Amino acid sequence: MPRTVTVGVDGSPESLTAADWAAREAELWGRPVRLVHAGPWQPFAAAGEGHGGGPEVEAARRRWAQRVLRETTERLTAGRPGLRVTFEQVRETPVSALLDAASHGCPLVLGSRVVGGPDGREDVWLLGPVTLAVVAGASGPVVLARSPAVPELAGSTGVPGPSWDGAPSPHVVLGVDPRRPATGAVAFAFGEAARRHARLEAVHAWRRPPGADPARDRELEREAGQALREVLAPWRARHPTVRVTVRTGFGAAASRLVDAAADASLLVVGRGGAPGRIGGVTRTVLRHCGTSVAVVPG
């Protein structure tokens, strides 16, 4: 199988955002896009084909999914004559199909749904069971794409055009702990910054140890900055065109990363946690960061 940028598609506005992001990424990588629809992601009523079960309903569901895949393909190729797009409807469950798709090296892209926060001021991004299982178990990078909502395709009468204008991205943010660097995330972040001709901002934050003398804060911050630069040095040598800035400081790591990524094009973090699990910092970032987030294992 040729290496592709794969996106999970179910006809929802969030999956169309993911498809747009995947098309942009595929152009940067010089790879085709693969659209995958697996299992009954959408309530069948959304297809407008009736209710119940049996062969007729299953056939109608397949027709609806094929229409979504075709319309999404038209959406992505409009204005992108060189972009190759393939699509596939599989009988596997969404988690199994997406985990398989995430094992081929290039990113797997999924949509994200946002809801208002409890105080009405901060948005919270929902992490459904499929998303959590895929992020926790994927052997390759998984991107949770975020952007303003777009119209649904299922049942629509027109195909909206691509939402990206091809402009260079401002910068990429990388969350990294020099004591336990996630080398997969570092490599992915440098590659993304190089492809986008973007600046890379490496961020490390930590909480002050109990009993630590605040008078040593500057010294500790200098030491942390030096440790971070040493971790990044081999990757800077491999990507000499990437301009790198380093930010260190005290505070909650997730909050620091969300703030740093507020005006970035992408936030890259390691998955953290035990095998098959998502670390606490990464899980918090996925819930509260309004920028697209790439979670990279290893």
Side-chain angles (χ1 to χ4, degrees):
M1 173 186 292
R3 294 181 66 185
T4 62
V5 181
T6 302
V7 55
V9 174
D10 63 3
S12 67
E14 295 79 25
S15 77
L16 297 185
T17 290
D20 280 345
W21 200 99
R24 178 169 70 250
E25 190 73 1
E27 290 181 310
L28 294 173
W29 283 63
R31 304 288 186 183
V33 174
R34 178 186 175 218
L35 308 177
V36 175
H37 181 282
W41 287 3
Q42 284 284 83
F44 187 48
E49 302 285 357
H51 303 275
E56 292 183 359
V57 170
E58 181 60 31
R61 182 182 289 114
R62 288 197 298 270
R63 289 195 299 270
W64 175 80
Q66 286 289 312
R67 185 169 74 248
V68 167
L69 290 167
R70 287 194 303 270
E71 291 184 357
T72 305
T73 299
E74 294 172 8
R75 172 191 179 89
L76 299 187
T77 55
R80 294 186 179 102
L83 181 65
R84 292 172 292 160
V85 180
T86 63
F87 60 80
E88 183 179 5
Q89 183 181 2
V90 298
R91 298 181 64 87
E92 298 175 74
T93 64
V95 172
S96 296
L98 294 173
L99 284 175
D100 177 69
S103 66
H104 298 293
C106 284
L108 167 69
V109 189
L110 302 177
S112 304
R113 178 169 297 178
V114 66
V115 296
D119 59 3
R121 293 177 298 175
E122 181 184 19
D123 288 338
V124 176
W125 298 85
L126 297 181
L127 302 177
V130 170
T131 297
L132 286 171
V134 172
V135 172
S139 60
V142 179
V143 177
L144 281 300
R146 278 90 190 264
S147 82
V150 293
E152 294 190 40
L153 287 183
S156 65
T157 57
V159 178
S163 62
W164 182 59
D165 62 6
S169 303
H171 68 286
V172 173
V173 173
L174 166 66
V176 58
D177 184 346
R179 298 167 300 179
R180 298 180 296 274
T183 55
V186 176
F188 187 82
F190 268 90
E192 287 295 301
R195 277 183 286 272
R196 296 160 182 256
H197 305 288
R199 174 173 59 87
L200 178 62
E201 184 174 300
V203 178
H204 170 51
W206 69 97
R207 295 186 184 276
R208 182 181 291 109
D213 183 0
R216 294 192 63 229
D217 282 0
R218 289 188 178 181
E219 179 183 351
L220 292 174
E221 190 164 349
R222 283 195 300 270
E223 292 174 355
Q226 180 60 32
L228 183 52
R229 291 182 183 90
E230 290 175 0
V231 167
L232 301 176
W235 305 99
R236 297 180 77 163
R238 297 177 194 180
H239 298 276
T241 62
V242 175
R243 185 163 59 95
V244 180
T245 59
V246 170
R247 291 176 58 183
T248 64
F250 293 106
S255 297
R256 288 271 187 161
L257 289 172
V258 170
D259 290 344
D263 59 347
S265 62
L266 181 67
L267 170 61
V268 182
V269 292
R271 184 164 59 200
R277 296 182 179 274
I278 305 171
V281 171
T282 296
R283 187 183 289 259
T284 301
V285 164
L286 290 176
R287 284 180 55 82
H288 295 284
C289 184
T291 299
S292 295
V293 182
V295 181
V296 186

